[in-house]
């Protein structure tokens, strides 16, 4: 068995629990055939064979409530998306070098969700590629290379992007042109989160300059997911965005996690902060499982790049992925998905908070829409992060039929991120299982 990086959040570690013969065999085969870089989740990895709505089923037909899925955020195998994909794949699958209406319909629909200043869409196959492309555009636009991120950020896996994704672990070096700032965790540091975040970004800019590095971009996940999910107070990004623009850099909003209505109040996380980014990157839920991602950009930001570099990305923007994504946007509108996210998300927050008096290990609980975080801390002083207990809770819930995971620098934050079609009944079941796991 290959060595496993224990710093991975909620990663399977061989030898901790007994596995069935089938699972043990599959795990060995993965190691043999896929090599040492892959990770499985949970002490007892799941072998899933089917999904429907908010439910996943294993080989024995056991159902798991999926409370950890922002990819199929309209639910597993959503019929509208399945239908759109099926119709398109049985008609035509081609690329962006041919004329086709669907990519234009997608651009029209996406651009209609943002300020007019953002006027172009470019497509990729993954969030990592979208951030990679954003960085290339930022470098051409600004003439700089410096990147500012938060301490526990994750933006993806390409060579360039992994250099500004500290959560890949200490063995993956940050670039010499990269500076980190503390995550804007208002609940830990008290009020004035906006001023503090802006001054941290200013300090990072000053440090880049001192080293002769011109700032190119500030990039943040606008819900700070891997930093521990930090929604409050809306608006706190404004000073930091102004700071990067004052020195000629651009602001990139990474919407791979919060985008497509998850926060309930807005389609995009940056809109909660009342800023207009220079580039917005997106991915995961964009095709409800189809590999489609991309970015929206201001014309003047992308202009020089577009003139100097042709852009063709074989699979990105293929007709099938575009059809899937158009279907996603139609369902979000028709089924009032954001409304559901806001209402059921508020109920979820209420139900998790209601467990606080019963379980002293529950610390701060926060969220926006169907994006909720619960800190697990020492019951004695309520401050020290309890990573081991968090791992035990996540795995106890998995045994009890509910899937979540953990995040944050200390790996002690329950990350609750169900599909956006979650119902109040789903929340009730979730809260029961969480209650049992905490006990
Ligand atoms: N940005 C953020 C904020 C992400 O969470 C992720 C994926 N977890 C990415 C970028 C990279 O997306 P992908 O895995 O599609 O490359």
């Amino acid at each position: 068995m290959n060595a496993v990086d224990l710093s991975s959040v909620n990663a399977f570690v061989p030898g901790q629990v007994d596995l069935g013969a089938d699972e043990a065999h599959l795990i060995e085969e993965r190691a043999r055939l896929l090599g040492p870089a892959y990770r499985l989740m949970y002490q007892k990895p799941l072998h899933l064979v089917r999904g429907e709505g908010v439910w996943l089923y294993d080989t024995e037909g056991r159902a798991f409530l999926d409370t950890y899925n922002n990819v199929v955020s309209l639910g597993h195998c959503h019929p509208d998306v399945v239908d759109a994909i099926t119709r398109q794949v049985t008609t035509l699958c081609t690329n962006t070098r041919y004329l086709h209406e669907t990519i234009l319909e997608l651009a029209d629909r996406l651009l209609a969700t943002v300020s007019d200043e953002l006027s172009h869409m470019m497509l990729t196959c993954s969030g990592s590629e979208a951030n990679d492309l954003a960085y290339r555009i930022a470098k051409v636009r600004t003439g700089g290379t410096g990147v500012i991120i938060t301490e526990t950020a994750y933006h993806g896996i390409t060579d360039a992007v992994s250099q500004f994704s500290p959560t890949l672990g200490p063995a993956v070096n940050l670039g010499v042109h990269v500076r980190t700032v503390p995550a804007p965790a208002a609940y830990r540091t008290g009020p004035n989160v906006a001023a503090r975040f802006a001054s941290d970004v200013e300090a990072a800019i000053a440090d880049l300059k001192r080293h002769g590095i011109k700032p190119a971009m500030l990039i943040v996940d606008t819900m700070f997911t891997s930093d521990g999910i930090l929604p409050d107070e809306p608006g706190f990004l404004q000073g930091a965005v102004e700071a990067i623009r004052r020195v000629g850099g651009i602001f990139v909003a990474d919407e791979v996690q919060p985008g497509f209505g998850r926060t309930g109040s807005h389609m995009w996380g940056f809109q909660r902060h009342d800023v207009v980014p220079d580039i917005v990157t997106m991915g995961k839920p964009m095709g409800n499982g189809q590999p489609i991602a991309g970015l929206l950009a201001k014309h003047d930001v992308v202009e020089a790049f577009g003139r100097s570099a042709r852009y063709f990305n074989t699979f990105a923007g293929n007709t099938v992925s575009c059809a899937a994504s158009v279907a996603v946007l139609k369902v979000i509108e028709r089924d009032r998905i954001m409304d559901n996210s806001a209402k059921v998300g508020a109920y979820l927050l209420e139900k998790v908070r209601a467990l606080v008096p019963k379980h002293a290990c529950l610390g701060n609980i926060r969220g926006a829409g169907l994006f909720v975080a619960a800190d697990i801390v020492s019951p004695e002083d309520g401050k020290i992060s309890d990573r081991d207990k968090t791992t035990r809770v996540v795995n106890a819930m998995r045994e009890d039929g509910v899937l979540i995971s953990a995040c944050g620098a200390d790996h002690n934050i329950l990350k609750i991120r169900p599909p956006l079609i979650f119902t109040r009944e789903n929340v009730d079941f979730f809260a029961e299982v969480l209650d049992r796991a905490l006990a």
Side-chain angles (χ1 to χ4, degrees), residues 151-382:
E151 268 166 2
T152 315
Y154 180 71
H155 297 292
I157 56 164
T158 70
D159 185 27
V161 177
S162 63
Q163 292 182 50
F164 54 90
S165 290
T167 46
L168 285 171
V172 179
N173 290 335
L174 292 184
V176 291
H177 55 288
V178 175
R179 295 295 179 278
T180 64
V181 293
Y187 77 98
R188 285 192 171 174
T189 54
N192 298 329
V193 66
R196 199 171 18 250
F197 193 58
S199 87
D200 287 340
V201 168
E202 277 163 7
I205 290 169
D207 194 55
L208 282 171
K209 284 182 161 174
R210 203 171 306 130
H211 290 85
I213 300 164
K214 194 166 190 273
M217 67 179 188
L218 164 69
I219 178 168
V220 300
D221 164 346
T222 58
M223 273 291 278
F224 299 87
T225 311
S226 50
D227 284 293
I229 304 179
L230 307 170
D232 301 317
E233 291 287 319
F236 72 70
L237 279 180
Q238 289 171 10
V241 172
E242 283 161 21
I244 190 72
R245 286 189 177 141
R246 269 199 302 276
V247 294
I250 68 165
F251 170 57
V252 179
D254 181 335
E255 292 289 337
V256 168
Q257 297 267 359
F260 293 90
R262 176 158 293 279
T263 65
S265 59
H266 296 84
M267 183 72 165
W268 308 104
F270 69 82
Q271 290 167 331
R272 298 178 66 253
H273 292 281
D274 205 14
V275 292
V276 179
D278 299 291
I279 297 179
V280 180
T281 60
M282 60 191 69
K284 287 188 191 282
M286 190 169 176
N288 209 54
Q290 272 287 302
I292 177 166
L295 60 79
L296 305 180
K298 291 180 178 171
H299 176 76
D300 60 314
V301 169
V302 80
E303 204 269 331
F305 175 84
R307 251 188 302 113
S308 58
R310 77 182 168 84
Y311 182 71
F312 178 62
N313 183 334
T314 305
F315 297 124
N318 75 74
T319 50
V320 177
S321 294
C322 287
S325 197
V326 167
V328 166
L329 291 172
K330 283 182 178 167
V331 173
I332 289 175
E333 202 176 309
R334 184 195 68 199
D335 295 353
R336 298 176 176 277
I337 293 292
M338 276 166 57
D339 239 30
N340 192 64
S341 188
K343 286 186 186 132
V344 179
Y347 183 58
L348 173 62
L349 201 56
E350 183 189 315
K351 290 289 280 193
V352 179
R353 283 190 174 143
L355 295 173
V356 172
K358 240 176 119 178
H359 302 284
C361 66
L362 277 179
N364 184 268
I365 291 158
R366 56 198 173 276
L370 280 166
F371 214 160
V372 171
D375 286 18
I376 302 292
V377 291
S378 66
E380 290 73 35
D381 69 355

Side-chain angles (χ1 to χ4, degrees), residues 42 46 48 54-58 62-68 393-404 422 426 429-434 436-437:
Y42 303 110
L46 280 158
L48 301 167
V54 294
W55 297 97
L56 286 164
Y57 300 87
D58 72 5
R62 176 159 188 220
F64 293 85
L65 181 69
D66 189 354
T67 319
Y68 189 64
V393 169
V394 167
N395 282 284
M397 291 184 77
R398 174 250 182 268
E399 290 304 310
D400 212 359
V402 171
L403 306 181
I404 62 166
F422 223 53
N426 296 148
F429 178 62
F430 170 84
E432 260 171 54
V433 171
L434 175 60
R436 274 202 291 273

Side-chain angles (χ1 to χ4, degrees), residues 18 72 83 115 198 211 291 317 363 381 401 419:
D18 290 336
V72 291
D83 185 51
S115 150
H211 290 85
D381 69 355

